[in-house]
Amino acid sequence: MRTDQILTRLERVFARLDREPERPAHLQTPQMSRHRVVLLGSTLAFYLAIVVAVLTTSWLVRLDWQVMFFRPYEQWPQVHAFLDYLVVLGQRGPTAVMVAAWLGWRSWRQHTLRPLIALGVALLLLNITVGSVKLGLGRLGPHYATEIGSAELFAGGDIFPSGHTANAVVTWGILAYLASTVVTRRVLSVVSAVVSLSVGATTVYLGTHWVSDVLLGWSAGLLILLALPWFEPLIARSEAYVFELRELLRRRAETGRMPAPVVTALTPLLSAGGKWQLRPVGDPGVEPAAGPVAQPAATAAAAAVAAHSPAPRPAGHVSGRQHVIRSERTPVTPVGSRRPAHGERAPARGTTAAAARPVAGG
């Protein structure tokens, strides 16, 4: 696909996003309230307690081994096929595609990029936090355990915390975080909690994770959702940056070259559509307005550009263009006289040439 075709399709998408965002007035962006801070602190304490319990090979590690020896997949083999499909709801790829498609439609409908950017920020935080702990602790899974009763840490594994569980909490929980109404937010919160609990329990049933892995995965995903309001300013700046980049690409498509990011000098004020606009110097899309053109403030950069630039030719009157009233124009000093010579002036109607000539000395 050619670049111009891609830009054309993106232009159609942004044409709708240019409208005013349609957000319900009664539902504000989530804030870091006192209640949320308390939940964040409690979840963080639970997270650290799980890590310490595994590092010290406490009763939690013994519980991990007991469940592993119990082999749930052998106790209830009739649900094995169903749970093989259910665990997909925690895989990063399929869930991200499904949720991104839904939030993309939400962005199109509400004329804002916030849902998609919020999903991207949440997944980025998930990869950084969960991935670093996985690689740092290096725990082996139940199927690869080498010593009975050991925590199996620092052995080159990557299953602590459970990525399936944390991903289920974040991916489905972001739908509740971005809900349009209070009722929808509560319903989606319950649904996402049930899905994430089911995915975590399924990994224990299949023997791919320890119980402690799932507990840490739940708390890791919940920490990201609770801390997400702190990243709302970043989400807003990212949305503004996307629109700014879109404007640069649009101007590049129109002019054939990327405009300079910093404008050192400005052309005269131009009247287009009844509004004053500032255009960068050398913009090929700028047409000189009819009539006298107002000069900008006397600056060193503007004076240097004006000294080496040819004077623009005044354009003829274009029918339908709105005129700026004289009171809004900046007074200028005309260069030379634009009045014709005395001999070339036509006398007014009903008067003679002598009467039309001004009287000198009086």
Side-chain angles (χ1 to χ4, degrees):
M1 185 178 296
R2 297 175 56 184
T3 305
D4 54 349
Q5 295 178 348
I6 297 177
L7 294 177
T8 301
R9 295 187 178 183
L10 289 178
E11 185 67 24
R12 295 176 182 175
V13 174
F14 279 103
R16 184 176 179 89
L17 295 177
D18 279 339
R19 305 178 186 177
E20 187 69 20
E22 295 180 358
R23 297 178 183 175
H26 60 278
L27 188 63
Q28 302 297 329
T29 302
Q31 304 293 330
M32 286 302 296
S33 60
R34 181 178 302 178
H35 177 69
R36 185 181 287 268
V37 172
V38 171
L39 287 178
L40 179 65
S42 303
T43 306
L44 181 59
F46 180 77
Y47 183 96
L48 296 177
I50 297 297
V51 174
V52 172
V54 174
L55 288 174
T56 57
T57 317
S58 65
W59 61 270
L60 186 57
V61 177
R62 293 194 297 270
L63 177 63
D64 290 338
W65 281 96
Q66 290 174 1
V67 174
M68 193 272 286
F69 285 132
F70 182 69
R71 291 181 174 86
Y73 55 89
E74 294 182 357
Q75 302 298 326
W76 302 284
Q78 60 275 12
V79 297
H80 196 291
F82 170 74
L83 294 181
D84 275 338
Y85 290 101
L86 180 63
V87 78
V88 177
L89 296 178
Q91 290 184 359
R92 189 75 47 84
T95 56
V97 171
M98 289 186 290
V99 174
W102 169 258
L103 294 181
W105 181 81
R106 284 274 309 277
S107 296
W108 174 267
R109 182 179 180 182
Q110 296 180 351
H111 314 151
T112 175
L113 291 176
R114 177 175 173 265
L116 286 176
I117 298 178
L119 174 63
V121 171
L123 293 180
L124 180 61
L125 292 174
L126 178 66
N127 291 332
I128 294 175
T129 56
V130 175
S132 59
V133 176
K134 277 176 173 287
L135 298 178
L137 296 179
R139 192 182 191 187
L140 294 175
H143 293 313
Y144 303 96
T146 57
E147 183 180 353
I148 297 177
S150 171
E152 301 294 336
L153 293 173
F154 311 110
D158 59 350
I159 56 106
F160 183 69
S162 171
H164 271 68
T165 306
N167 182 72
V169 174
V170 172
T171 305
W172 303 110
I174 197 70
L175 297 179
Y177 180 84
L178 298 171
S180 301
T181 62
V182 177
V183 176
T184 306
R185 176 173 294 178
R186 292 175 180 175
V187 172
L188 290 178
S189 297
V190 175
V191 172
S192 62
V194 172
V195 171
S196 58
L197 290 173
S198 302
V199 170
T202 300
T203 60
V204 176
Y205 168 86
L206 297 175
T208 57
H209 280 287
W210 307 98
V211 174
S212 55
D213 298 343
V214 175
L215 295 178
L216 197 66
W218 282 331
S219 57
L222 187 57
L223 282 175
I224 294 175
L225 289 180
L226 291 174
L228 203 54
W230 278 334
F231 295 89
E232 284 294 340
L234 174 63
I235 294 173
R237 289 195 297 268
S238 301
E239 184 178 14
Y241 174 78
V242 170
F243 280 99
E244 181 181 356
L245 181 61
R246 172 258 186 144
E247 292 297 328
L248 292 178
L249 293 176
R250 171 193 285 179
R251 295 192 58 189
R252 181 179 183 181
E254 293 177 353
T255 61
R257 57 188 178 88
M258 182 66 71
V262 179
V263 179
T264 57
L266 299 176
T267 56
L269 294 171
L270 300 177
S271 174
K275 298 181 180 179
W276 292 108
Q277 296 181 351
L278 295 177
R279 294 293 186 89
V281 173
D283 192 341
V286 175
E287 297 181 358
V293 179
Q295 302 293 334
T299 59
V305 173
H308 296 82
S309 300
R313 294 179 300 175
H317 176 72
V318 180
S319 177
R321 176 177 296 180
Q322 297 182 359
H323 294 274
V324 180
I325 60 176
R326 186 174 299 276
S327 59
E328 296 180 359
R329 299 179 181 175
T330 306
V332 296
T333 302
V335 180
S337 177
R338 299 187 180 184
R339 302 180 63 186
H342 291 286
E344 299 177 0
R345 298 178 189 171
R349 294 183 179 180
T351 61
T352 61
R357 184 177 297 127
V359 179

